[in-house]
Amino acid sequence: MKAKMRFSLKAGERIFINGAVLTVSQKVTLSLLNEARFLLESHVLQVTDATTPMRQLYFVVQSLLINPQEAGKVMGAFRKLHDALITVATDDGVKDSLRKVGDLVEADRTFEALKLIRTLFEPIEAHPSAPAEAAAVQAA
């Protein structure tokens, strides 16, 4: 059977697969032979780092991937935050990307949604109106 995905982990690194957290004690290469939902530790955003609305959206989508048994509860938070971000976004490109994120999440393509959200960190956080938009999202 051909591996669908291969990655190498260093000693002590973690990987999140289908809601389970795995850690390795020594360098290892893993091959996933079937479809699985996974996230490498380097892509995991800690709650303390979710300091902007876009990073909070990433954290919520990440929660869908890492903790699938809570997806019903988390989807409500996603929709509320997602809708608020679209409402306050002033850049059409960002709005289009956020709509695509919503489509990806609704289609259960959370990993792709996370990749797209990461591309929005810099443009949003560097934008001059970001503090005002962040305040608007917090108030929503």
Side-chain angles (χ1 to χ4, degrees), residues 63-75:
S63 298
L64 290 169
L65 189 67
I66 290 176
N67 199 2
Q69 61 272 23
E70 297 292 324
K73 295 176 188 175
V74 176
M75 277 303 288

Side-chain angles (χ1 to χ4, degrees), residues 38-55:
F38 71 92
L39 195 59
L40 297 171
E41 184 174 19
S42 61
H43 291 140
V44 173
L45 185 72
Q46 299 301 316
V47 70
T48 54
D49 296 326
T51 56
T52 66
M54 195 61 67
R55 289 177 187 267

